[in-house]
Amino acid sequence: EQAAQYVATHEFAHTILNMRDPLSDKRNFVGADYAKVRSARKEIESVYDRYMKEVETLTKTAKDIELQVIAEPDLEKAMQLKQMYGEAGAALKEKKLSDYSLVNADEFMAEAFTNERIGNRSNPYGREVMQILTKYFGRR
């Protein structure tokens, strides 16, 4: 049941704002004002760009430390590196919404919306996406 709720919420998010084809009548399921759609899309794409850069940096840091752990012959140093690796992994987990959120801005938006709406795991990027969606499409 929880998986079905997740999928339904994720797909619903695509009906709010389609990032790939926002101006197509076929994709504008909610009859949104095109100016709002364009503005929201631009803001979310900006957040997505920042998100991708941060996730890429955190991923690279974790992988670099992991390689150092593997290559370190000194056990004490290896244990220190292992702790650093754990901290780097925790930082990545805090920021990364999901693997699917890395596909494109559309999936990022839908994953952010889903995580914030059904409470799987809130994060700063998800909250920022929700603020944008609320600004353009929320109740007044």
Side-chain angles (χ1 to χ4, degrees), residues 50-111:
R50 284 188 286 113
Y51 170 75
M52 287 299 294
K53 286 177 185 159
E54 184 168 13
V55 169
E56 287 170 1
T57 298
L58 291 169
T59 300
K60 182 181 181 326
T61 298
K63 286 183 179 185
D64 288 349
I65 295 170
E66 182 181 32
L67 290 174
Q68 290 175 28
V69 170
I70 293 167
E72 181 56 58
D74 182 277
L75 183 58
E76 188 174 320
K77 286 182 183 177
M79 293 305 288
Q80 290 171 345
L81 286 167
K82 191 172 180 182
Q83 182 177 345
M84 289 172 57
Y85 174 70
E87 292 166 0
L92 177 60
K93 185 177 180 180
E94 179 185 328
K95 297 294 180 171
K96 187 175 169 184
L97 291 163
S98 68
D99 287 341
Y100 202 42
S101 69
L102 305 175
V103 171
N104 58 40
D106 240 346
E107 299 307 339
F108 165 73
M109 182 274 302
E111 287 291 286

Short mmCIF file of all heavy atoms in Angstrom, two decimals, residues 50-111:
data_model
loop_
_atom_site.label_atom_id
_atom_site.label_comp_id
_atom_site.label_asym_id
_atom_site.label_seq_id
_atom_site.Cartn_x
_atom_site.Cartn_y
_atom_site.Cartn_z
N ARG A 50 21.49 23.21 -8.94
CA ARG A 50 22.25 23.27 -7.69
C ARG A 50 22.29 21.90 -7.01
O ARG A 50 23.32 21.49 -6.48
CB ARG A 50 21.65 24.31 -6.73
CG ARG A 50 21.97 25.73 -7.10
CD ARG A 50 21.54 26.72 -6.03
NE ARG A 50 20.08 26.90 -6.02
CZ ARG A 50 19.27 26.51 -5.03
NH1 ARG A 50 19.75 25.95 -3.95
NH2 ARG A 50 17.97 26.71 -5.11
N TYR A 51 21.15 21.23 -7.01
CA TYR A 51 21.03 19.89 -6.42
C TYR A 51 22.01 18.92 -7.08
O TYR A 51 22.75 18.22 -6.39
CB TYR A 51 19.58 19.41 -6.60
CG TYR A 51 19.33 17.97 -6.26
CD1 TYR A 51 19.26 17.54 -4.93
CD2 TYR A 51 19.10 17.03 -7.26
CE1 TYR A 51 19.00 16.22 -4.63
CE2 TYR A 51 18.83 15.72 -6.96
CZ TYR A 51 18.78 15.31 -5.64
OH TYR A 51 18.52 13.99 -5.34
N MET A 52 22.02 18.90 -8.39
CA MET A 52 22.91 17.98 -9.11
C MET A 52 24.37 18.26 -8.80
O MET A 52 25.15 17.32 -8.58
CB MET A 52 22.66 18.07 -10.62
CG MET A 52 21.35 17.43 -11.05
SD MET A 52 21.25 15.66 -10.69
CE MET A 52 22.52 15.03 -11.79
N LYS A 53 24.74 19.51 -8.76
CA LYS A 53 26.14 19.86 -8.45
C LYS A 53 26.51 19.39 -7.05
O LYS A 53 27.58 18.81 -6.84
CB LYS A 53 26.37 21.36 -8.59
CG LYS A 53 26.43 21.82 -10.03
CD LYS A 53 26.59 23.31 -10.14
CE LYS A 53 26.53 23.70 -11.61
NZ LYS A 53 26.20 25.09 -11.82
N GLU A 54 25.61 19.61 -6.09
CA GLU A 54 25.92 19.21 -4.72
C GLU A 54 25.97 17.69 -4.58
O GLU A 54 26.89 17.15 -3.96
CB GLU A 54 24.92 19.80 -3.72
CG GLU A 54 25.31 19.46 -2.29
CD GLU A 54 24.56 20.22 -1.24
OE1 GLU A 54 23.54 20.86 -1.54
OE2 GLU A 54 25.02 20.16 -0.09
N VAL A 55 25.02 17.00 -5.18
CA VAL A 55 25.01 15.53 -5.10
C VAL A 55 26.25 14.95 -5.79
O VAL A 55 26.87 14.02 -5.27
CB VAL A 55 23.70 14.95 -5.68
CG1 VAL A 55 23.80 13.44 -5.85
CG2 VAL A 55 22.53 15.29 -4.76
N GLU A 56 26.61 15.50 -6.95
CA GLU A 56 27.81 15.03 -7.64
C GLU A 56 29.06 15.24 -6.79
O GLU A 56 29.92 14.36 -6.71
CB GLU A 56 27.96 15.73 -8.99
CG GLU A 56 26.97 15.24 -10.03
CD GLU A 56 26.95 16.09 -11.29
OE1 GLU A 56 27.72 17.08 -11.40
OE2 GLU A 56 26.13 15.78 -12.17
N THR A 57 29.18 16.39 -6.16
CA THR A 57 30.33 16.67 -5.31
C THR A 57 30.37 15.73 -4.11
O THR A 57 31.43 15.15 -3.80
CB THR A 57 30.29 18.14 -4.82
OG1 THR A 57 30.36 19.00 -5.96
CG2 THR A 57 31.44 18.45 -3.88
N LEU A 58 29.24 15.54 -3.45
CA LEU A 58 29.18 14.64 -2.29
C LEU A 58 29.47 13.19 -2.68
O LEU A 58 30.14 12.46 -1.95
CB LEU A 58 27.82 14.75 -1.60
CG LEU A 58 27.54 16.08 -0.90
CD1 LEU A 58 26.07 16.17 -0.50
CD2 LEU A 58 28.44 16.26 0.31
N THR A 59 28.97 12.79 -3.84
CA THR A 59 29.21 11.42 -4.32
C THR A 59 30.69 11.22 -4.61
O THR A 59 31.28 10.21 -4.22
CB THR A 59 28.38 11.13 -5.59
OG1 THR A 59 26.99 11.27 -5.27
CG2 THR A 59 28.64 9.75 -6.14
N LYS A 60 31.30 12.19 -5.27
CA LYS A 60 32.73 12.10 -5.59
C LYS A 60 33.56 12.05 -4.31
O LYS A 60 34.49 11.25 -4.20
CB LYS A 60 33.17 13.27 -6.46
CG LYS A 60 34.63 13.20 -6.87
CD LYS A 60 35.04 14.38 -7.70
CE LYS A 60 36.47 14.36 -8.16
NZ LYS A 60 37.46 13.79 -7.28
N THR A 61 33.22 12.88 -3.35
CA THR A 61 33.95 12.90 -2.07
C THR A 61 33.88 11.53 -1.40
O THR A 61 34.90 10.99 -0.96
CB THR A 61 33.39 13.98 -1.14
OG1 THR A 61 33.56 15.26 -1.76
CG2 THR A 61 34.08 13.97 0.21
N ALA A 62 32.68 10.96 -1.33
CA ALA A 62 32.50 9.65 -0.69
C ALA A 62 33.30 8.57 -1.43
O ALA A 62 33.96 7.74 -0.80
CB ALA A 62 31.03 9.28 -0.62
N LYS A 63 33.25 8.59 -2.75
CA LYS A 63 33.98 7.58 -3.53
C LYS A 63 35.49 7.74 -3.38
O LYS A 63 36.22 6.74 -3.28
CB LYS A 63 33.57 7.64 -5.00
CG LYS A 63 32.21 7.06 -5.24
CD LYS A 63 31.84 7.06 -6.71
CE LYS A 63 30.46 6.44 -6.88
NZ LYS A 63 30.09 6.30 -8.27
N ASP A 64 35.96 8.98 -3.37
CA ASP A 64 37.40 9.22 -3.19
C ASP A 64 37.87 8.69 -1.83
O ASP A 64 38.93 8.06 -1.74
CB ASP A 64 37.72 10.71 -3.30
CG ASP A 64 37.62 11.23 -4.73
OD1 ASP A 64 37.50 10.42 -5.67
OD2 ASP A 64 37.65 12.47 -4.90
N ILE A 65 37.11 8.95 -0.79
CA ILE A 65 37.47 8.46 0.54
C ILE A 65 37.41 6.95 0.57
O ILE A 65 38.29 6.29 1.16
CB ILE A 65 36.57 9.09 1.63
CG1 ILE A 65 36.79 10.60 1.71
CG2 ILE A 65 36.84 8.43 2.99
CD1 ILE A 65 35.79 11.34 2.58
N GLU A 66 36.41 6.36 -0.05
CA GLU A 66 36.29 4.90 -0.08
C GLU A 66 37.52 4.26 -0.72
O GLU A 66 38.06 3.26 -0.22
CB GLU A 66 35.04 4.49 -0.86
CG GLU A 66 34.81 3.00 -0.92
CD GLU A 66 33.58 2.62 -1.70
OE1 GLU A 66 33.22 3.34 -2.66
OE2 GLU A 66 32.96 1.60 -1.34
N LEU A 67 38.01 4.85 -1.81
CA LEU A 67 39.22 4.33 -2.46
C LEU A 67 40.44 4.47 -1.55
O LEU A 67 41.31 3.59 -1.52
CB LEU A 67 39.46 5.05 -3.79
CG LEU A 67 38.46 4.72 -4.90
CD1 LEU A 67 38.69 5.60 -6.12
CD2 LEU A 67 38.54 3.24 -5.28
N GLN A 68 40.50 5.56 -0.81
CA GLN A 68 41.61 5.75 0.13
C GLN A 68 41.57 4.69 1.24
O GLN A 68 42.62 4.18 1.64
CB GLN A 68 41.56 7.14 0.74
CG GLN A 68 41.88 8.25 -0.22
CD GLN A 68 41.70 9.62 0.42
OE1 GLN A 68 41.83 9.78 1.62
NE2 GLN A 68 41.37 10.62 -0.39
N VAL A 69 40.37 4.37 1.71
CA VAL A 69 40.23 3.34 2.75
C VAL A 69 40.76 2.02 2.23
O VAL A 69 41.53 1.32 2.91
CB VAL A 69 38.75 3.18 3.19
CG1 VAL A 69 38.58 1.95 4.08
CG2 VAL A 69 38.25 4.42 3.91
N ILE A 70 40.37 1.67 1.02
CA ILE A 70 40.78 0.39 0.43
C ILE A 70 42.29 0.32 0.25
O ILE A 70 42.91 -0.71 0.50
CB ILE A 70 40.06 0.18 -0.93
CG1 ILE A 70 38.56 0.00 -0.69
CG2 ILE A 70 40.64 -1.00 -1.69
CD1 ILE A 70 37.72 0.08 -1.94
N ALA A 71 42.89 1.44 -0.15
CA ALA A 71 44.32 1.46 -0.46
C ALA A 71 45.21 1.69 0.76
O ALA A 71 46.42 1.48 0.68
CB ALA A 71 44.60 2.54 -1.50
N GLU A 72 44.64 2.10 1.88
CA GLU A 72 45.45 2.46 3.06
C GLU A 72 45.97 1.21 3.77
O GLU A 72 45.20 0.42 4.30
CB GLU A 72 44.62 3.30 4.03
CG GLU A 72 45.38 3.75 5.26
CD GLU A 72 46.65 4.51 4.95
OE1 GLU A 72 46.59 5.54 4.27
OE2 GLU A 72 47.72 4.06 5.41
N PRO A 73 47.32 1.05 3.82
CA PRO A 73 47.88 -0.13 4.50
C PRO A 73 47.89 0.00 6.03
O PRO A 73 47.85 -1.00 6.74
CB PRO A 73 49.30 -0.22 3.94
CG PRO A 73 49.65 1.18 3.54
CD PRO A 73 48.34 1.83 3.15
N ASP A 74 47.92 1.22 6.52
CA ASP A 74 47.97 1.44 7.97
C ASP A 74 46.55 1.33 8.54
O ASP A 74 45.66 2.09 8.17
CB ASP A 74 48.55 2.84 8.25
CG ASP A 74 48.67 3.12 9.74
OD1 ASP A 74 47.65 3.53 10.33
OD2 ASP A 74 49.77 2.94 10.28
N LEU A 75 46.36 0.38 9.46
CA LEU A 75 45.03 0.09 9.99
C LEU A 75 44.42 1.29 10.70
O LEU A 75 43.24 1.58 10.53
CB LEU A 75 45.10 -1.11 10.94
CG LEU A 75 43.77 -1.58 11.51
CD1 LEU A 75 42.80 -1.96 10.41
CD2 LEU A 75 43.98 -2.75 12.47
N GLU A 76 45.22 2.00 11.49
CA GLU A 76 44.70 3.16 12.22
C GLU A 76 44.21 4.25 11.25
O GLU A 76 43.13 4.82 11.42
CB GLU A 76 45.76 3.72 13.17
CG GLU A 76 45.23 4.79 14.09
CD GLU A 76 46.27 5.22 15.13
OE1 GLU A 76 46.99 4.38 15.67
OE2 GLU A 76 46.32 6.45 15.38
N LYS A 77 45.03 4.53 10.25
CA LYS A 77 44.63 5.53 9.25
C LYS A 77 43.40 5.05 8.47
O LYS A 77 42.51 5.85 8.16
CB LYS A 77 45.79 5.82 8.29
CG LYS A 77 46.90 6.65 8.90
CD LYS A 77 47.97 6.93 7.88
CE LYS A 77 49.12 7.69 8.52
NZ LYS A 77 50.21 7.93 7.57
N ALA A 78 43.36 3.77 8.17
CA ALA A 78 42.21 3.22 7.45
C ALA A 78 40.93 3.38 8.27
O ALA A 78 39.87 3.69 7.72
CB ALA A 78 42.44 1.75 7.12
N MET A 79 41.02 3.20 9.57
CA MET A 79 39.85 3.37 10.44
C MET A 79 39.40 4.83 10.48
O MET A 79 38.20 5.12 10.48
CB MET A 79 40.13 2.84 11.85
CG MET A 79 40.34 1.34 11.91
SD MET A 79 38.97 0.40 11.20
CE MET A 79 37.75 0.63 12.46
N GLN A 80 40.35 5.75 10.50
CA GLN A 80 40.01 7.17 10.46
C GLN A 80 39.33 7.52 9.14
O GLN A 80 38.33 8.25 9.11
CB GLN A 80 41.26 8.03 10.64
CG GLN A 80 41.85 7.97 12.04
CD GLN A 80 43.20 8.66 12.12
OE1 GLN A 80 43.84 8.94 11.12
NE2 GLN A 80 43.65 8.92 13.35
N LEU A 81 39.86 6.99 8.06
CA LEU A 81 39.27 7.22 6.75
C LEU A 81 37.87 6.60 6.66
O LEU A 81 36.98 7.17 6.06
CB LEU A 81 40.17 6.65 5.64
CG LEU A 81 41.44 7.44 5.35
CD1 LEU A 81 42.39 6.61 4.49
CD2 LEU A 81 41.11 8.76 4.67
N LYS A 82 37.71 5.44 7.28
CA LYS A 82 36.41 4.78 7.27
C LYS A 82 35.36 5.65 7.97
O LYS A 82 34.22 5.74 7.53
CB LYS A 82 36.50 3.41 7.92
CG LYS A 82 35.28 2.57 7.72
CD LYS A 82 35.48 1.15 8.22
CE LYS A 82 34.22 0.35 7.99
NZ LYS A 82 34.33 -0.99 8.47
N GLN A 83 35.77 6.29 9.05
CA GLN A 83 34.85 7.19 9.75
C GLN A 83 34.50 8.38 8.85
O GLN A 83 33.35 8.79 8.77
CB GLN A 83 35.46 7.69 11.06
CG GLN A 83 34.52 8.60 11.83
CD GLN A 83 35.08 9.03 13.18
OE1 GLN A 83 36.04 8.47 13.68
NE2 GLN A 83 34.46 10.04 13.75
N MET A 84 35.51 8.92 8.17
CA MET A 84 35.27 10.02 7.24
C MET A 84 34.32 9.57 6.12
O MET A 84 33.44 10.33 5.69
CB MET A 84 36.58 10.52 6.64
CG MET A 84 37.46 11.27 7.62
SD MET A 84 39.11 11.64 6.95
CE MET A 84 38.71 12.55 5.48
N TYR A 85 34.49 8.34 5.66
CA TYR A 85 33.63 7.80 4.62
C TYR A 85 32.18 7.73 5.11
O TYR A 85 31.25 8.08 4.39
CB TYR A 85 34.12 6.42 4.18
CG TYR A 85 33.21 5.73 3.21
CD1 TYR A 85 33.08 6.20 1.90
CD2 TYR A 85 32.47 4.62 3.60
CE1 TYR A 85 32.23 5.57 1.01
CE2 TYR A 85 31.62 3.99 2.71
CZ TYR A 85 31.50 4.46 1.41
OH TYR A 85 30.66 3.84 0.53
N GLY A 86 32.00 7.30 6.34
CA GLY A 86 30.66 7.25 6.93
C GLY A 86 30.02 8.63 7.01
O GLY A 86 28.83 8.79 6.71
N GLU A 87 30.81 9.61 7.38
CA GLU A 87 30.30 10.98 7.46
C GLU A 87 29.95 11.52 6.08
O GLU A 87 28.93 12.19 5.90
CB GLU A 87 31.33 11.89 8.14
CG GLU A 87 31.53 11.56 9.62
CD GLU A 87 32.76 12.20 10.22
OE1 GLU A 87 33.50 12.91 9.50
OE2 GLU A 87 33.00 11.96 11.42
N ALA A 88 30.78 11.21 5.09
CA ALA A 88 30.51 11.65 3.71
C ALA A 88 29.24 10.98 3.19
O ALA A 88 28.42 11.62 2.52
CB ALA A 88 31.70 11.33 2.81
N GLY A 89 29.07 9.71 3.50
CA GLY A 89 27.86 8.99 3.09
C GLY A 89 26.62 9.56 3.74
O GLY A 89 25.56 9.67 3.10
N ALA A 90 26.73 9.93 5.01
CA ALA A 90 25.59 10.53 5.71
C ALA A 90 25.21 11.88 5.10
O ALA A 90 24.03 12.19 4.96
CB ALA A 90 25.91 10.68 7.20
N ALA A 91 26.22 12.67 4.73
CA ALA A 91 25.96 13.97 4.10
C ALA A 91 25.26 13.77 2.76
O ALA A 91 24.31 14.50 2.43
CB ALA A 91 27.26 14.74 3.92
N LEU A 92 25.69 12.78 2.01
CA LEU A 92 25.06 12.49 0.72
C LEU A 92 23.61 12.04 0.92
O LEU A 92 22.71 12.50 0.23
CB LEU A 92 25.86 11.41 -0.03
CG LEU A 92 25.28 10.95 -1.36
CD1 LEU A 92 25.15 12.10 -2.34
CD2 LEU A 92 26.15 9.84 -1.94
N LYS A 93 23.40 11.16 1.88
CA LYS A 93 22.05 10.66 2.15
C LYS A 93 21.11 11.78 2.57
O LYS A 93 19.93 11.79 2.21
CB LYS A 93 22.09 9.58 3.23
CG LYS A 93 20.77 8.92 3.48
CD LYS A 93 20.87 7.81 4.50
CE LYS A 93 19.50 7.18 4.71
NZ LYS A 93 19.53 6.10 5.68
N GLU A 94 21.62 12.75 3.30
CA GLU A 94 20.81 13.88 3.74
C GLU A 94 20.34 14.73 2.57
O GLU A 94 19.23 15.25 2.56
CB GLU A 94 21.60 14.74 4.72
CG GLU A 94 20.85 15.95 5.21
CD GLU A 94 21.72 16.86 6.08
OE1 GLU A 94 22.60 16.35 6.79
OE2 GLU A 94 21.49 18.08 6.03
N LYS A 95 21.17 14.90 1.56
CA LYS A 95 20.86 15.79 0.44
C LYS A 95 20.16 15.09 -0.73
O LYS A 95 19.34 15.69 -1.41
CB LYS A 95 22.14 16.44 -0.09
CG LYS A 95 22.83 17.33 0.91
CD LYS A 95 22.00 18.54 1.25
CE LYS A 95 22.75 19.39 2.26
NZ LYS A 95 22.13 20.66 2.49
N LYS A 96 20.49 13.82 -0.98
CA LYS A 96 19.98 13.12 -2.15
C LYS A 96 18.57 12.60 -1.89
O LYS A 96 18.33 11.86 -0.95
CB LYS A 96 20.91 11.96 -2.49
CG LYS A 96 20.60 11.25 -3.76
CD LYS A 96 21.68 10.21 -4.01
CE LYS A 96 21.34 9.27 -5.11
NZ LYS A 96 22.37 8.22 -5.25
N LEU A 97 17.63 13.00 -2.75
CA LEU A 97 16.25 12.56 -2.61
C LEU A 97 16.10 11.09 -2.95
O LEU A 97 15.45 10.34 -2.22
CB LEU A 97 15.35 13.38 -3.54
CG LEU A 97 15.17 14.85 -3.15
CD1 LEU A 97 14.62 15.65 -4.32
CD2 LEU A 97 14.25 14.96 -1.95
N SER A 98 16.68 10.68 -4.06
CA SER A 98 16.63 9.29 -4.53
C SER A 98 17.50 9.19 -5.77
O SER A 98 17.89 10.21 -6.35
CB SER A 98 15.19 8.90 -4.89
OG SER A 98 14.77 9.61 -6.05
N ASP A 99 17.77 7.97 -6.19
CA ASP A 99 18.50 7.81 -7.45
C ASP A 99 17.68 8.35 -8.62
O ASP A 99 18.21 8.95 -9.55
CB ASP A 99 18.84 6.33 -7.70
CG ASP A 99 19.94 5.83 -6.78
OD1 ASP A 99 20.69 6.65 -6.21
OD2 ASP A 99 20.05 4.60 -6.62
N TYR A 100 16.38 8.14 -8.56
CA TYR A 100 15.49 8.56 -9.65
C TYR A 100 15.46 10.08 -9.79
O TYR A 100 15.26 10.60 -10.89
CB TYR A 100 14.09 8.01 -9.41
CG TYR A 100 13.23 7.92 -10.63
CD1 TYR A 100 13.74 7.48 -11.85
CD2 TYR A 100 11.90 8.28 -10.59
CE1 TYR A 100 12.95 7.40 -12.98
CE2 TYR A 100 11.09 8.20 -11.71
CZ TYR A 100 11.62 7.76 -12.91
OH TYR A 100 10.84 7.68 -14.02
N SER A 101 15.71 10.80 -8.71
CA SER A 101 15.70 12.27 -8.76
C SER A 101 16.85 12.82 -9.59
O SER A 101 16.86 13.99 -9.95
CB SER A 101 15.77 12.85 -7.36
OG SER A 101 17.03 12.60 -6.77
N LEU A 102 17.81 11.97 -9.93
CA LEU A 102 18.98 12.40 -10.70
C LEU A 102 18.74 12.31 -12.21
O LEU A 102 19.56 12.78 -12.99
CB LEU A 102 20.20 11.56 -10.33
CG LEU A 102 20.56 11.53 -8.84
CD1 LEU A 102 21.70 10.55 -8.60
CD2 LEU A 102 20.89 12.90 -8.32
N VAL A 103 17.62 11.72 -12.63
CA VAL A 103 17.34 11.48 -14.04
C VAL A 103 17.18 12.79 -14.81
O VAL A 103 17.80 12.98 -15.87
CB VAL A 103 16.10 10.58 -14.22
CG1 VAL A 103 15.66 10.50 -15.67
CG2 VAL A 103 16.38 9.20 -13.65
N ASN A 104 16.34 13.68 -14.33
CA ASN A 104 16.10 14.97 -14.98
C ASN A 104 15.31 15.86 -14.02
O ASN A 104 14.90 15.42 -12.95
CB ASN A 104 15.39 14.81 -16.33
CG ASN A 104 14.07 14.10 -16.23
OD1 ASN A 104 13.29 14.31 -15.30
ND2 ASN A 104 13.78 13.23 -17.20
N ALA A 105 15.07 17.10 -14.43
CA ALA A 105 14.38 18.05 -13.55
C ALA A 105 12.94 17.61 -13.27
O ALA A 105 12.41 17.86 -12.19
CB ALA A 105 14.40 19.45 -14.17
N ASP A 106 12.30 16.95 -14.25
CA ASP A 106 10.94 16.43 -14.05
C ASP A 106 10.89 15.44 -12.89
O ASP A 106 10.04 15.53 -12.00
CB ASP A 106 10.48 15.70 -15.31
CG ASP A 106 9.25 16.28 -15.94
OD1 ASP A 106 8.58 17.09 -15.29
OD2 ASP A 106 8.97 15.92 -17.08
N GLU A 107 11.78 14.47 -12.93
CA GLU A 107 11.78 13.43 -11.89
C GLU A 107 12.24 14.00 -10.55
O GLU A 107 11.76 13.60 -9.50
CB GLU A 107 12.63 12.24 -12.31
CG GLU A 107 12.13 11.55 -13.58
CD GLU A 107 10.66 11.16 -13.57
OE1 GLU A 107 10.05 11.02 -12.48
OE2 GLU A 107 10.10 10.99 -14.66
N PHE A 108 13.16 14.96 -10.60
CA PHE A 108 13.58 15.64 -9.38
C PHE A 108 12.40 16.32 -8.71
O PHE A 108 12.16 16.17 -7.51
CB PHE A 108 14.67 16.67 -9.72
CG PHE A 108 14.93 17.68 -8.64
CD1 PHE A 108 15.60 17.33 -7.47
CD2 PHE A 108 14.49 18.99 -8.78
CE1 PHE A 108 15.83 18.26 -6.47
CE2 PHE A 108 14.72 19.93 -7.79
CZ PHE A 108 15.40 19.57 -6.63
N MET A 109 11.61 17.06 -9.51
CA MET A 109 10.45 17.76 -8.97
C MET A 109 9.45 16.76 -8.39
O MET A 109 8.94 16.95 -7.28
CB MET A 109 9.80 18.61 -10.07
CG MET A 109 8.59 19.44 -9.63
SD MET A 109 6.99 18.58 -9.66
CE MET A 109 6.86 18.05 -11.35
N ALA A 110 9.16 15.70 -9.12
CA ALA A 110 8.18 14.71 -8.65
C ALA A 110 8.66 13.99 -7.40
O ALA A 110 7.88 13.73 -6.47
CB ALA A 110 7.88 13.71 -9.76
N GLU A 111 9.94 13.67 -7.32
CA GLU A 111 10.48 13.01 -6.13
C GLU A 111 10.47 13.96 -4.93
O GLU A 111 10.15 13.56 -3.81
CB GLU A 111 11.91 12.51 -6.39
CG GLU A 111 11.98 11.30 -7.29
CD GLU A 111 11.42 10.05 -6.64
OE1 GLU A 111 12.08 9.49 -5.75
OE2 GLU A 111 10.31 9.64 -7.01
#
